[in-house]
């Protein structure tokens, strides 16, 4: 029989091989009619054992691609060959009635030996193929089992149950020595399997153990595995000798994968979420095909790589049917499918301009950006300020005001693609200082800083754009202080701005009628009027500054003479007591911390003064009316709790209620910065300066005068001490049961979890310290939790966190599953500027600090298809999204969004062993939600006294049936975690595996 040749040109990639399979180019053509020799009928089935010589190839794998005479070719790349003896592999095939076969060989990855394009013509019996020569012999016949022979063991190890990404074989040939720990690396074989061929020399067997190279071992319960020569499999603690190649069933085109199971569909408004369990076999499933029917939009087919599918933008009150099929690497689709149906509800009203989203803030992980340093959408509003050259920013072409709202709007999909649904932005009010890009030097609290806005990208545009994507905006607000140049509309001081030969560089040219806006540059001086409209060479009318305009006797670092009243400060007499305090802080944990200046650039408001209160309440009402979703309160500890509880917090609630209703007011999220840089529960024993103190209402009546009330409260609470402060069970489960929290004594202010922040040098320390404080917050499930920020890293470090990728992953796994709201400082998802000094003012370039410009990592296009999922990305942003911690935080967000207990649940460690292990539950009768989850981070855990039933791990999909109230979970490894969710059926069914395994969640 003449066989039609085909030729493979050079080395083909796996993708090219797949393409050729689909077009039939790798399958030799059948004989033309009338040209082949007659095939005699066979009386019985014949076989061929083909031995292939390996020494000149040195491939890591060998495949036989063949066609019996008159039959079809195997699917590319063919069947795997097994180790035979030294330098040889073999495969026995059944030929049926055929008297021969055509054959080619390949490495499974696109490198072929096809006899120079002619294929090999082979018969039956024992056949060898060596360096292009075919012969009938058994090259291993003389090796048998005689002493002194060379033996080879081919071991396949199942990784399906251990979830390792790296597997090592540590072995000892009988009578020989063990390999050096951790052993030799095993190679990928097929989905769920790795393999390694070992030369045993004269030994007929070996002892073997397996490990992940990072200290996690499978040593058969301490007994080791005994593996003979030949092909063996090790799976679930069992050795199968003389086994069939486990990857044969996984050969892409030999058999279609099985269908996924247990598809569940739930509708919420005009969206449907599908979840299902993976296919039950190991046939190389790489994705799932979801088909939707219903409505007027016709059938939509989508391929996805996870077991969760969100279908959005559907018609209201419409039934939709879905089928899910599995697809393997070769494109084979399961014959059967799993189906589910869901009916959508009312179509939600599109977010109105100037209206908060109004949902529970605990559902929304927070991404914190310094707007001016995040992404530049409009270069025309960039400003370097008076320190542009001195700071070194000019040399880097990096003005301090660089990022803006336009740049932020343009990258909302990046943030959404991370899975973050709330954005905390730095203050937006018009700032005024020499170095004010961060927003904390407020000057006009009623005006948005024009260095942040652009045509078509106002602050209102940003709020509306975020809301349209289902994302919240939390505005950083400052009630404690203004810039040292005062607050426009309340009080601005006149300074002695001498413009002699020494100081003309600093003071802007006087321009009558000029109104500072931060953006306008006067053409005459080329400056931006940081102070030109405030200085006077003649003593101003009504001046209160002591020794106005006279030399102080001191000089600047440059040697310039300094004058009294040249710069505002609290003790100069420049600021009236009705608006500002008139002292410097002496004790940061003392009473004067609420009534004195923090820094010369931060003029301390007299917040117990009615004019100041009215000024600030009126200013922040404006931003509430624009529809922001919450306030992050800067320097909250420097205002007495009585003032917060009497004035500012009620004013916020009243305004939100008035504009948007009681439910919106309930979910308007206020979280304060109560800076406490110590590791104890109460800040150096001072209850008045501890974060949890601000979450409570007052316990007694004080003077009607706010200033007196502040002193009375301070003295009373200090005398009561830490042991007499109120406590709460709002964060804790009652056994395994959720209970309705009691917020009747809640002040209206939640807080940043400073204690966890301070201890995040190690996740275990952060966890144990956090738990220790939770009974002293009104409700710790609302705590904002972060590792580092624009101010400090853990342990009051002045550098951005640099604990390493594994530690970052572990910190994130804890933050995303423990109580509280996970928060990420911009760039931490790629360890941006790790170890760099967070802030050094104008004494060094911003590019060298933790506040460096991030936009270079965001260039290109990105489109998010959902929270934690990216539909497309190009350019640098695509590279950014490929980083390991990005993948980690994306999947953490997918899991957290799918498990209500992780968002809003109370927690308990009762009956649980494990270093970072806890159970969480959230129950809401109104919505019918009941979610119960068992979590362990990094280490192993045992849970006792838990409800019986089926639990499914959201990370691996592993199902566990609990019948005796106990569940033991092995250690998942550093940065990894397990989230076993109790399957309660219906809308509370356990989702199973969520998302795709990544570098840490696996």
């Amino acid at each position: 029989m003449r066989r039609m040749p085909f030729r493979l040109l050079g080395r083909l990639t796996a993708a090219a091989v797949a393409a050729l399979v689909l077009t039939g180019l790798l399958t030799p053509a059948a004989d033309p009619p009338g040209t082949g020799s007659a095939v005699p009928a066979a009386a019985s089935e014949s076989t061929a054992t083909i031995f292939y010589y390996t020494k000149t190839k040195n491939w890591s794998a060998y495949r036989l691609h063949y066609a019996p005479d008159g039959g079809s070719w195997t699917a590319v790349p063919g069947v795997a060959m097994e180790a035979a003896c030294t330098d040889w592999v073999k495969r026995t095939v059944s030929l049926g009635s055929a008297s021969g076969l055509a054959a080619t060989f390949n490495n499974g990855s696109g490198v072929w030996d096809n006899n120079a394009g002619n294929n090999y013509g082979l018969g039956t019996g024992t056949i060898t193929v060596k360096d292009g020569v075919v012969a009938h012999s058994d090259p291993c016949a003389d090796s048998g089992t005689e002493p002194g022979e060379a033996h080879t063991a081919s071991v396949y190890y199942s990784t399906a149950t251990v979830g390792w990404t790296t597997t090592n074989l540590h072995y000892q040939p009988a009578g020989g020595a063990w390999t050096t720990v951790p052993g030799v690396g095993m190679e990928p074989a097929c989905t769920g399997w790795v393999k390694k061929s070992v030369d045993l020399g004269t030994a007929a067997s070996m002892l073997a153990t397996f490990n992940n190279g990072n200290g996690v071992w499978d040593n058969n319960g301490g007994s080791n595995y005994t593996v003979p020569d030949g092909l063996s499999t090790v799976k679930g603690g069992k050795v199968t000798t003389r086994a069939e190649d486990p990857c044969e069933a996984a050969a892409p085109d030999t058999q279609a994968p099985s269908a996924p199971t247990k598809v569940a569909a739930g509708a919420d408004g005009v969206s449907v979420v599908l979840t299902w369990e993976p296919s039950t076999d190991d046939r190389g499933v790489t994705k799932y095909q979801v088909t939707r029917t219903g409505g007027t939009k016709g059938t939509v087919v989508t391929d996805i790589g996870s077991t969760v599918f969100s279908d959005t933008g559907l018609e209201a009150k419409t039934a939709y049917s879905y089928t899910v099929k599995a697809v393997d690497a070769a494109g084979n689709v399961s014959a059967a499918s799993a189906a589910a149906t869901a009916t959508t509800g009312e179509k939600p009203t599109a977010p109105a301009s100037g209206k908060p989203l109004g949902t529970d803030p605990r559902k929304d992980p927070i991404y914190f950006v310094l707007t001016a340093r995040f992404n530049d959408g409009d270069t025309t509003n960039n400003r370097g300020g008076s320190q542009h050259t001195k700071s070194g920013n000019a040399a880097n072409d990096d003005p301090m005001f660089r990022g803006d709202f336009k740049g932020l709007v343009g990258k909302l999909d990046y943030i959404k693609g991370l899975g973050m649904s709330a954005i905390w932005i730095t203050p937006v009010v018009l700032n005024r200082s020499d170095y004010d890009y961060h927003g904390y030097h407020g000057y006009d609290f009623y005006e948005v800083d024009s260095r942040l806005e652009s045509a078509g990208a106002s602050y209102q545009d940003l709020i509306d754009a975020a809301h349209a994507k289902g994302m919240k905006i939390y505005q950083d607000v400052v009630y404690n202080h203004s810039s040292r140049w005062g607050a426009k509309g309340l009080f601005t001081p006149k300074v002695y701005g001498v413009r002699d030969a020494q100081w003309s560089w600093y003071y802007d040219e006087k321009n009558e009628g000029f109104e500072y806006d931060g953006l306008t540059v006067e053409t005459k001086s080329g400056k931006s009027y940081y102070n030109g409209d405030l200085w006077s060479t003649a003593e101003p009318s009504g001046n209160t500054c002591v020794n106005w305009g006279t030399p102080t006797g001191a000089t600047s670092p440059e040697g310039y003479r300094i004058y009294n009243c040249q710069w505002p400060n609290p003790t100069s007499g420049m600021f009236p007591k009705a608006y500002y305090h008139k002292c410097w802080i002496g004790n940061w944990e003392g009473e004067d911390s609420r009534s004195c200046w923090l820094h010369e650039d931060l003029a301390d408001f007299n917040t117990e003064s009615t004019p100041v209160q009215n000024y600030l309440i009126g200013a922040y009402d404006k931003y509430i009316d624009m529809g922001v979703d919450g306030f992050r309160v800067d320097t909250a500890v420097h205002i007495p709790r009585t003032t917060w509880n009497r004035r500012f917090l009620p004013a916020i609630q009243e305004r939100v209620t008035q504009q948007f209703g009681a439910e919106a007011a309930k979910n308007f999220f206020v979280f304060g910065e109560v800076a406490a840089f110590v590791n104890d529960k109460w800040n150096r024993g001072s209850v008045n300066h501890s974060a949890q103190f601000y979450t409570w209402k007052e316990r007694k009546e004080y003077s009607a005068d706010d200033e007196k009330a502040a002193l009375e409260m301070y003295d009373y609470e200090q005398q009561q001490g830490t042991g007499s402060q109120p406590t709460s069970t709002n964060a804790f489960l009652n056994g395994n049961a959720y209970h309705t929290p009691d917020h009747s004594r809640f002040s209206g202010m939640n807080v940043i979890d400073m204690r966890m922040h301070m201890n995040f040098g190690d996740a275990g320390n952060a966890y144990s310290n956090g738990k220790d404080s939770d009974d002293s917050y009104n409700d710790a499930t609302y705590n904002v939790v972060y590792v580092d920020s624009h101010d400090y890293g853990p342990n009051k470090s002045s550098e951005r966190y640099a604990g390493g990728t594994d530690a970052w992953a572990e910190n994130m796994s804890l933050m995303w599953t423990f109580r509280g709201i996970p928060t990420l400082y911009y760039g931490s998802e790629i360890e941006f500027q790790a170890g760099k000094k967070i802030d050094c003012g104008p004494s060094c370039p911003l590019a060298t600090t933790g506040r460096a410009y991030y936009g270079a990592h965001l260039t290109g296009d990105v489109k998010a298809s959902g929270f934690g999922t990216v539909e497309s990305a190009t350019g640098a942003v695509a590279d950014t999204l490929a980083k390991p911690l990005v993948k980690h935080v994306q999947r953490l967000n997918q899991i957290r969004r799918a498990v209500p207990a992780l968002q809003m649940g109370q927690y308990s460690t009762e009956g649980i062993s494990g270093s970072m292990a806890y159970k969480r539950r959230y129950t809401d009768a109104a919505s019918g939600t009941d979610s119960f989850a068992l979590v362990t981070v990094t280490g192993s855990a045992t849970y006792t006294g838990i409800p019986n039933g089926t639990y499914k791990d959201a990370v691996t999909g592993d199902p566990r049936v609990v019948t005796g109230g106990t569940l033991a979970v092995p250690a998942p490894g550093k940065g990894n975690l397990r989230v076993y969710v109790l399957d309660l059926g219906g809308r509370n069914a356990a989702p199973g595996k969520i998302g795709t395994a990544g570098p840490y969640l696996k």
Side-chain angles (χ1 to χ4, degrees), residues 261-266 273-277 307-309 898 989-992 994:
T261 60
K262 297 184 180 179
V263 176
V273 176
L274 291 178
T275 59
W276 60 89
E277 292 188 358
T307 56
V308 179
F309 173 66
I994 299 168

Side-chain angles (χ1 to χ4, degrees), residues 393-404:
N393 290 338
N396 293 324
D397 192 20
D398 184 27
M400 61 173 182
F401 264 99
R402 187 172 180 183
D404 45 42

Side-chain angles (χ1 to χ4, degrees), residues 494-498 534-541 543 548-549:
K494 286 288 185 182
V495 300
Y496 182 71
V498 60
L534 297 177
W535 67 266
S536 174
T537 54
E539 185 170 1
S541 175
N543 169 58
W548 190 90

Side-chain angles (χ1 to χ4, degrees), residues 21 79 110 165 237 263 271 295 393 413 528 531 593 663 666 845 867 926:
V21 171
V79 297
T165 56
V263 176
S271 299
N393 290 338
D413 269 28
S528 56
N531 44 44
S593 70
E663 187 66 18
K666 173 185 174 183
F867 288 105

